[in-house]
Amino acid sequence: MLTKAKVISELNKFPEEFSMDELFEKLILMEKIDKAREQSARGDVVSEAELDYEVKKWFE
């Protein structure tokens, strides 16, 4: 979950001027990374073999 501290920390890395799009993209990326870390911690992951199988199906 995003926290105010995480957002402020990332916001401090931004240049003095930036667009709303850049801010939203960063917030979305931060949220996706946090969700992925939570999934990984729960063991809710796909094995490399499963991933290879799924990718092969895309190209059939």
Side-chain angles (χ1 to χ4, degrees):
M1 173 171 280
L2 288 179
T3 64
K4 188 187 298 186
K6 288 179 188 177
V7 172
I8 290 171
S9 175
E10 288 301 317
L11 190 58
N12 286 330
K13 296 176 185 177
F14 271 69
E16 197 59 35
E17 294 183 11
F18 56 88
S19 71
M20 291 298 290
D21 286 341
E22 291 170 314
L23 176 60
F24 289 142
E25 287 175 12
K26 184 63 172 185
L27 291 172
I28 290 167
L29 176 62
M30 290 173 63
E31 183 179 42
K32 287 181 178 185
I33 290 171
D34 277 352
K35 283 183 180 179
R37 286 183 176 151
E38 290 170 6
Q39 287 175 323
S40 179
R42 287 192 313 264
D44 187 13
V45 295
V46 175
S47 72
E48 189 172 342
E50 290 172 301
L51 180 61
D52 287 342
Y53 175 75
E54 291 299 322
V55 169
K56 286 179 184 177
K57 288 189 340 188
W58 295 349
F59 296 103
E60 291 179 348

